[in-house]
Amino acid sequence: MAAPPYTGPLFDAHLHYNDDAVGRYSIGTLHELFSKNGVRAILANSRPNDGTRALVEAAKAGARKDLAVVPFIRVYRDRADYGTWQRNPEILAMIVAEEKRGYYRGVGEFHVHGKDADTKVLKDIVDFAVAKGLVLHAHSDDEAIEIIFRHNPKASVIWAHTGFTTPLARVEEMLAKYPRLWGELSYRSDVAEGGALSEGWRALFLRHPDRFVVGSDTWVNERWDSYPSIMGGYRRWLGELPREVAESIAWKNGARIFGLP
C-alpha cells in the first residue's frame, strides 16, 4: 500500500515571477495557488527584479498574512544578460544598488558553469553576498560550485536542481566538503523514478535530512500552469520518508536558513 502524501507546509525555495508571467498571473492568483497547495513561504526572484518587488510589496501590505516572501536579487535585467553577467561590472553595481532596499535575503538564481565562474565580477558578487549575509542561488555544475566556494569559503549556497544530473556520490561529497551548501530538488527527476522515491535518494535524505529543499522553478508559464502537479509530486514522495525527515526537506530547512518561525 502506498504511503499517504505529506500534508504539512511547503517552502518553495525556487520560484520566479518573471516579466512574461506578470501580465498573465496576478498576485492574487499566485496567492490562491500558494494557499491551495499549502505553500507557506517562497524564495522569490524574477527577471527583472520588478516581479519580486511586487511580491514583497504585497506581503508588506498584508495581502496574505500566512505567506513569507524571501526575496532574492536576480542578476538578469533582461535576457541579454544570460551568459555575460558574470563578466559585467554593471551587474555587480545593480546588485549593490538593489540591496539598499533593505529586504533582500540572497542573490540569484544565476546560471554559471565550469570555469566561467572564475571571474573577478563573480568573486566580487560572492564577497558582497558574504559581507551582507546574503545566500547565493546557483544553477551550476559541481565545478562552478567549487569555484564559488574558492572565491569565498564563507559563502552560503543553494544549489539549484542539485546539479541536475550530478551523481549522488558526488552530491554527498560536495555536502561533506561545504557545510553551507544546500541542494534544491526541482528537475531532479531521478528522485522519484516511476513516482516512487528512489532508494539512492532515500538513503541520501536519511543521512543528510538538513541539507535539501524543494522548489517549483516557475521559469516559464507552463510551470505555473503545472504548479499543483509539481507540488503534489513532492508531497507524494515526501510521504514515503519518516515524518521528521519529510518536514525538514519540505519546510524546516528553508525556514532555518532564513530564520522563519
Side-chain angles (χ1 to χ4, degrees), residues 15-18 21-35 42 44 46 49-65 67 69 224:
L15 182 138
H16 304 290
Y17 190 36
N18 290 332
V22 169
R24 182 169 172 180
Y25 309 96
S26 68
I27 296 287
T29 297
L30 300 192
H31 285 176
E32 185 176 354
L33 264 180
F34 301 145
S35 181
I42 56 172
S46 64
N49 289 299
D50 302 37
T52 300
R53 291 196 292 266
L55 287 164
V56 170
E57 292 306 318
K60 285 183 177 180
R64 186 182 156 202
K65 299 186 184 303
L67 177 71
V69 177
W224 281 115

Side-chain angles (χ1 to χ4, degrees), residues 69-82:
V69 177
V70 179
F72 271 41
I73 305 168
R74 197 85 192 270
V75 301
Y76 308 128
R77 299 163 297 183
D78 52 42
R79 293 181 186 275
D81 287 329
Y82 286 79

Side-chain angles (χ1 to χ4, degrees), residues 177-246:
K177 188 173 183 180
Y178 302 112
R180 297 194 64 78
L181 176 67
W182 296 271
E184 184 270 319
L185 296 167
S186 63
Y187 281 102
R188 282 284 336 204
S189 57
D190 56 334
V191 171
E193 296 169 317
L197 183 62
S198 79
E199 289 306 314
W201 277 101
R202 180 196 302 276
L204 189 61
F205 291 149
L206 293 179
R207 289 195 295 271
H208 304 282
D210 58 343
R211 303 297 294 280
F212 293 97
V213 293
V214 298
S216 60
D217 191 11
T218 50
W219 68 285
V220 290
N221 289 342
E222 288 78 7
R223 297 287 287 184
W224 281 115
D225 295 337
S226 302
Y227 198 84
S229 174
I230 294 167
M231 307 317 280
Y234 285 129
R235 290 188 179 281
R236 281 190 293 277
W237 64 251
L238 285 166
E240 299 181 46
L241 291 167
R243 180 172 178 173
E244 62 182 25
V245 176

Side-chain angles (χ1 to χ4, degrees), residues 152-169:
N152 194 318
K154 295 180 180 179
S156 298
V157 180
I158 293 176
W159 191 5
H161 319 298
T162 317
F164 271 111
T165 58
T166 304
L168 295 192

